[in-house]
Structures are given as structure tokens and as C-alpha cells.
Amino acid sequence: MDFHWFLPTNGDSRDIVGGGHGTPSGSAGGVRPLTIGYLGQIARSAEQLGFVGALTPTGAWCEDAWLTTAMLTEVTERLKFLVAFRPGLISPTLAAQMSSTFQRLSGGRLLLNVVTGGESGEQRQFGDFLDKDARYARTAEFLTVVRGLLRGETVSYAGEHLRVENAKLARVPEVPPTIYFGGSSPAAGPVAAEHADVYLTWGEPPAQVAEKLAWIRTLKPDMTFGIRLHVITRDTAEQAWAEASRLLRNVSEQDIAAVQAGLRQSESEGQRRMLDLHGGSRDGLVVSPNLWAGVGLVRGGAGTALVGSHTEVADRIEEYASLGISEFILSGYPHLEEAYWFGEGVLPELRRRGLWRHPAGEKGTAPTAIPFAGVPLEKAS
């Protein structure tokens, strides 16, 4: 299994930072401003700890993913960048050219996260006035052109939404970037089956994830699957749950009501499923063993976190892996510190079980050898 971390391109904090799917950016306090220096710290730490890549989001609420990650290739060596972008806001030929350039000049470190877009209001900010179903149809057309160009083909295509004539790339990458795609709407399945290498789901309880994976397998039996989750992992379960409680301590009922009202306007089926896990209430936030829906009270998009001791979080990851999940895209608050907790606590446990190895092989730095906050680390069992 592979693990990816997250780059907070709208700033970071010890509190839950809003953003994505209609929520306002910002935090209750302690915001760490976005700088390449800080993102570089996170990226280098993720690389050293053993993460394969790092997701960078897209939207009006954050910095541009293409430009940010291109800068970060200069301060990392192995880490791949899962660049989120939205079809329809850019020409497919230009997107293929950008992908080819990034892939070749970075030494094969580009991954593409195709985001159709679930919020018409935000899409209109970028000049896109299609409805949701039309956006999915356009995504399929877009990926038809992009994948053909990245294979080195000359593409002429005339669809309902997109048209190109004799499009061709001057240079084609040796290995095209892997395409990640998520969507819970009925219209998303066929697009994923035809064009995606990895299908992504948000962190729903295992039974719901199993149903979603079964749906996609009926369309593409050999699909690879990934899951997007937050993590709060500590030496003991008590410490982890105390941190989860702290994240919501300064959040008022008015804050929750305001965010939930905005999110209920979302057209995203995945967002609706996230909201249904908690119903906007602080009660019953543990929706499955070690799966906490508190993040989704004040943040759009991925709204659940794995919370517990390192062993418990490893257990839950193994459970998702048993369903067919092989890629885990994780994040936490703040992202630098939580990357260390996971990398120094959970990854050694998964390695002990024979479920994970450092992507750099024997040359990779063992997670237990990296000091955190100046405190010597104990040897992992």
C-alpha cells in the first residue's frame, strides 16, 4: 500500500482550517501563513518519512496547485505531487502539454487528480456555467483528448463540449501521469471506469466504502482504489481523542450552523454523504470504530479522521486495505506535526506487519530515526 500526504495551500493551523466545497477559508486561531518555505518543510518531511506523494487541492479558496508544486520539485527529490485541477477551466491540449512538461522535467513525479467540480457557484467564478451532469460529460471528453495526447497520438475530436483539431504534443513523457478521479454521483462511475487509473473515495465507514467499491468494480473490475482521510494518531488512544476534542473546543454552535448551511447547498453527492454521517450535530461523531466525523462539522470535502493509538489506526488502515484500498491520502492539523505522528507511529507498525515498506527501499530513512520536537524517539517494536 502507498501513502500520500497533503499540502495546505491555503495556510495551516492547529485548528481545523476551512476551505473546499463551499466553506470559507480561515481558522479560529494560530494560522500558519502559506509560504514555500513551510510547504517545503512539509514536503521534505513527507518524503523522508516514507510518503509516496502529496495532494495539492484546487479551488478559489487556495493557491494554484500547478505553480505551487512546480516550485516544490526543486526542494524535494522523490516525492510525487498529486495535482488537483478542474477540466473545463483549461484547454485539454494545454493541460496535456503542462502535464507532459511537469512529468518530464520533474523526473516522473506528476500525478493528476481530476476534479469535475461540485459547486456551480464556484465554477461560475471561473467562467464555467454548465450544470453538474454536463460537467461530468465534459470531463469524459476532456480526458479522451488528454489521454490520447499523452500517448503520443494526433487527436482530432468534436464533442458536445470540446473540440480540437490535429492536436499533438511536441514531446511526450516516457510514462504518462497516473490519473486519479473521484465522484459518488451516478454520472461519475462511467467516467471513472473509462478514464481513471485510481478511483478515490472520501473516508466513509468501511461498509459504505465496500458498497462504493463494488459499484465501481461492476464497471471496471481491475480498478485501483484510494481513500482520502484525516488522521489523529498518538502513543495512546486517550491522547488521540483528547486532541480530537481540542480541535472542536473553540468551535461555536453558530460556526457549525453557518458552515453546515453552506455545505447543504452543495451539489456534490460525496459531500452529502459526508454531511449525513454527523447531521450537523456534535453527538455521535464516532461513526465507525476509530472513524470520527468531527472534521466535517466545520470543513467541506473530506470530513472524517482516523483517531486512535498508532496500533488502532494501523488496524483501521488494514481493514480498509482488506476491502481493496491500496492508496491512502492523508492529512492533519497542523500538517507538519501530524505527518510526523503518523510517519513515526503508524508506518513502523504497518511495516512490522509486512504491509508497508519505505518507497526508497533500504536506503530510505527509517521513521523511528527522525527526531520530533527535540524528543528522542523510542524504538518501534
Side-chain angles (χ1 to χ4, degrees):
M1 61 181 70
D2 289 332
F3 294 91
H4 306 256
W5 198 242
F6 183 88
L7 297 174
T9 54
N10 63 323
D12 203 358
S13 175
R14 295 189 68 244
D15 300 306
I16 297 174
V17 179
H21 296 268
T23 61
S25 63
S27 171
V31 172
R32 293 179 179 176
L34 171 67
T35 65
I36 286 296
Y38 180 57
L39 291 181
Q41 280 186 284
I42 298 173
R44 288 190 297 272
S45 297
E47 183 173 71
Q48 190 176 19
L49 288 162
F51 292 93
V52 167
L55 171 66
T56 307
T58 184
W61 52 276
C62 60
E63 299 289 353
D64 178 73
W66 290 99
L67 294 174
T68 303
T69 53
M71 295 177 186
L72 293 173
T73 60
E74 289 296 292
V75 299
T76 52
E77 297 177 357
R78 172 189 50 80
L79 193 72
K80 296 182 179 181
F81 295 98
L82 181 49
V83 174
F85 74 102
R86 299 184 182 184
L89 307 186
I90 186 174
S91 152
T93 304
L94 180 57
Q97 184 183 39
M98 292 166 61
S99 299
S100 177
T101 299
F102 197 123
Q103 184 75 329
R104 288 184 300 101
L105 298 185
S106 69
R109 292 199 282 151
L110 175 66
L111 307 169
L112 295 175
N113 181 25
V114 178
V115 181
T116 298
E119 319 301 331
S120 290
E122 187 179 21
Q123 293 294 122
R124 287 193 290 268
Q125 294 183 45
F126 291 94
D128 178 17
F129 289 83
L130 295 183
D131 63 24
K132 181 180 175 182
D133 286 345
R135 290 197 296 269
Y136 273 115
R138 182 181 57 195
T139 296
E141 295 182 8
F142 182 94
L143 291 175
T144 296
V145 175
V146 169
R147 289 175 69 93
L149 290 171
L150 290 174
R151 288 193 297 264
E153 300 171 4
T154 299
V155 179
S156 291
Y157 182 88
E160 182 180 356
H161 304 286
L162 298 173
R163 181 178 178 180
V164 300
E165 187 173 312
N166 294 323
K168 185 176 177 63
L169 296 180
R171 297 180 179 85
V172 178
E174 290 187 13
V175 178
T178 301
I179 293 179
Y180 293 67
F181 179 85
S184 299
S185 300
V191 179
E194 184 175 0
H195 297 289
D197 301 305
V198 181
Y199 176 81
L200 293 177
T201 179
W202 283 330
E204 299 175 9
Q208 294 181 27
V209 170
E211 291 178 359
K212 189 179 292 186
L213 270 54
W215 165 50
I216 296 297
R217 286 193 180 103
T218 65
L219 303 171
K220 185 177 181 180
D222 62 345
M223 179 70 81
T224 299
F225 295 103
I227 194 168
R228 173 79 176 91
L229 288 154
H230 304 279
V231 287
I232 304 172
T233 178
R234 296 292 186 272
D235 294 333
T236 68
E238 292 76 15
Q239 291 171 333
W241 286 109
E243 178 62 13
S245 297
R246 187 200 64 77
L247 285 173
L248 291 183
R249 191 171 300 149
N250 295 325
V251 176
S252 70
E253 293 303 318
Q254 291 78 9
D255 292 334
I256 294 174
V259 171
Q260 293 299 299
L263 293 175
R264 286 293 175 188
Q265 303 302 311
S266 173
E267 299 171 350
S268 167
E269 176 64 15
Q271 183 65 75
R272 183 194 65 76
R273 292 166 70 101
M274 284 283 100
L275 296 177
D276 287 348
L277 291 178
H278 53 68
S281 171
R282 295 176 188 261
D283 300 326
L285 290 176
V286 181
V287 296
S288 185
N290 302 106
L291 186 65
W292 182 65
V295 178
L297 288 177
V298 287
R299 182 194 190 279
T304 54
L306 293 178
V307 182
S309 68
H310 306 313
T311 299
E312 290 173 335
V313 172
D315 289 341
R316 299 288 76 78
I317 287 173
E318 188 170 0
E319 181 179 10
Y320 280 115
S322 72
L323 303 177
I325 300 289
S326 60
E327 301 205 24
F328 294 80
I329 302 173
L330 308 175
S331 56
Y333 298 103
H335 289 77
L336 182 62
E337 285 85 335
E338 286 296 341
Y340 274 101
W341 281 112
F342 186 88
E344 295 170 347
V346 179
L347 289 182
E349 174 61 22
L350 291 171
R351 181 169 55 186
R352 186 187 67 80
R353 300 181 188 187
L355 297 174
W356 175 82
R357 65 188 297 273
H358 198 290
E362 294 301 319
K363 295 181 180 179
T365 303
T368 51
I370 302 172
F372 173 55
V375 180
L377 295 166
E378 297 180 357
K379 282 278 188 181
S381 59

